[in-house]
Amino acid sequence: MSTSDRAVPARLTVSVTETGLNRHMNKRTATGGRPSKGQRKALMSRVAVPVGEKIEEQAAAAGYQYVGDYIASILAREAGMPELAPVQADRTRLELPIPAA
């Protein structure tokens, strides 16, 4: 049997509006969560494993939830712009436990 003799299934296209599925897909609006940190420039660097581990330890000791925020705060201070350093997480606010589904 050659490839031209094989039956090719027809392509099926289903519109979400035709199935009525979109009636349950309301547009999401921002109702809470963390406020935006504003415009950011992504920088990337790779460091030796011992350096990375030490930075992670220092970030945790300083109360940062994210190592990237700790690194950004160091860079902001070194650049002479400490007012642009990310703010540490509020330690008085606890994360609510959300059970896995």
Side-chain angles (χ1 to χ4, degrees):
M1 177 186 260
S2 71
T3 56
S4 61
D5 295 336
R6 290 185 190 160
V8 178
R11 186 174 238 172
L12 177 62
T13 304
V14 178
S15 169
V16 173
T17 54
E18 289 174 10
T19 61
L21 294 175
N22 69 338
R23 67 181 164 194
H24 300 292
M25 301 169 126
N26 296 331
K27 185 175 179 181
R28 295 177 66 184
T29 57
T31 58
R34 179 176 55 86
S36 170
K37 293 181 181 181
Q39 289 185 323
R40 296 285 184 253
K41 170 115 178 123
L43 302 173
M44 202 265 189
S45 178
R46 294 181 185 267
V47 298
V49 172
V51 173
E53 290 172 348
K54 185 67 172 180
I55 293 295
E56 289 172 341
E57 290 172 13
Q58 291 175 345
Y64 283 89
Q65 184 176 4
Y66 303 106
V67 175
D69 284 350
Y70 177 68
I71 294 169
S73 70
I74 293 170
L75 293 174
R77 286 194 306 271
E78 287 296 315
M81 299 179 244
E83 70 279 3
L84 296 178
V87 179
Q88 293 182 31
D90 183 357
R91 290 185 173 191
T92 63
R93 298 182 71 180
L94 301 175
E95 185 175 319
L96 293 175
I98 300 174

